[in-house]
Amino acid sequence: FRFPENFDNPYTAKSITEFWRRWHITLGNWMRNYLYIPLGGNKVESKKRLYFNLWLVFILSGFWHGAAWTFIIWGIYHGMWLVLERIYLNKFYTKIGAFASTLICFMLVAIGWVFFRAEKVTDALSLVSKLFAFDFEMPPHYLDKEFVLILCFAVVFSFFTSFRLGSVIQSKFYYSDHKLLGSLVMTVVALTLFTVSLASITSSDFNPFIYFRF
């Protein structure tokens, strides 16, 4: 079976537009084919209609995730940045270079996830305000070994392919035609990681299935 690639190193994106080419690709393709293109897509008479199409598609994407204002705001938020990139931000990203634009994009996406994950809009606004309070004191339990280990893995695997060596390793590991031994090794590694992840989830006191909310 050949399954379509669904995530392609999204946190290495240099813009929100590129992020949505890399994040949840199958959903993005569905939105493009069944919402954006029927609305006229890029082939519209005015830029205002183009911006309206972009915004509407992402508002509907937010509503698809759940009937809550947090999801709607998340969709509006991403739609806003897509429009601003079409207007002038893409030129700005080109001027500041790949590293700075990747960092800015990551920060914008991370702020959006606050609204996506929060139960209420007031909770999201409170969290965002604390993010920019410049209070660097952290509760002691956030600095335990498990947190540091997960943080290190997250940073490495989020930005691994930002460097040429990372891209080469990924292509070799995932996209090469492996022989029998290589396939067996990858199968064992995948099953081991799956078992560890499953054990971590089931041993946690809080492990709801997030898609029940959608």
Side-chain angles (χ1 to χ4, degrees):
F1 293 94
R2 292 284 182 177
F3 293 102
E5 191 75 24
N6 211 23
F7 294 89
D8 181 17
N9 305 295
Y11 291 125
T12 63
K14 301 173 186 63
S15 66
I16 299 297
T17 303
E18 184 184 351
F19 173 81
W20 277 102
R21 294 195 193 107
R22 295 174 174 270
W23 179 273
H24 211 328
I25 297 171
T26 53
L27 175 62
N29 289 342
W30 190 93
M31 291 193 301
R32 181 194 65 205
N33 294 333
Y34 295 100
L35 291 175
Y36 186 63
I37 292 177
L39 285 169
N42 297 330
K43 299 178 180 179
V44 290
E45 296 180 356
S46 65
K47 289 186 177 180
K48 289 183 179 180
R49 180 54 193 262
L50 172 63
Y51 302 151
F52 172 80
N53 289 348
L54 284 170
W55 224 329
L56 179 60
V57 166
F58 275 86
I59 291 172
L60 293 174
S61 172
F63 189 71
W64 177 87
H65 284 88
W69 282 110
T70 50
F71 293 120
I72 303 298
I73 292 172
W74 173 79
I76 293 172
Y77 175 83
H78 274 271
M80 176 189 72
W81 289 113
L82 286 169
V83 170
L84 290 176
E85 286 178 358
R86 291 293 185 106
I87 296 173
Y88 71 92
L89 278 181
N90 282 332
K91 294 180 180 178
F92 173 72
Y93 291 150
T94 302
K95 290 181 179 179
I96 63 176
F99 177 80
S101 57
T102 300
L103 183 62
I104 291 172
C105 179
F106 177 79
M107 293 296 295
L108 294 177
V109 170
I111 292 171
W113 287 140
V114 175
F115 287 91
F116 187 89
R117 188 66 184 87
E119 296 288 341
K120 300 177 183 178
V121 175
T122 52
D123 294 341
L125 293 174
S126 176
L127 286 169
V128 171
S129 66
K130 289 180 179 179
L131 286 173
F132 293 95
F134 298 101
D135 180 6
F136 298 104
E137 293 185 8
M138 296 180 66
H141 65 277
Y142 279 139
L143 298 176
D144 60 17
K145 293 180 180 179
E146 182 181 3
F147 175 83
V148 173
L149 179 64
I150 293 173
L151 178 63
C152 290
F153 274 115
V155 171
V156 169
F157 285 105
S158 292
F159 302 103
F160 186 64
T161 57
S162 294
F163 306 95
R164 179 174 176 78
L165 178 61
S167 296
V168 171
I169 293 173
Q170 176 178 267
S171 297
K172 180 70 175 177
F173 193 78
Y174 285 110
Y175 302 115
S176 298
D177 291 328
H178 298 284
K179 295 181 180 180
L180 179 60
L181 179 60
S183 297
L184 288 174
V185 170
M186 289 192 64
T187 300
V188 171
V189 170
L191 288 173
T192 302
L193 291 174
F194 175 76
T195 303
V196 171
S197 300
L198 189 62
S200 176
I201 292 172
T202 54
S203 63
S204 174
D205 295 330
F206 181 73
N207 54 357
F209 184 55
I210 190 172
Y211 275 88
F212 282 150
R213 299 172 59 200
F214 299 168

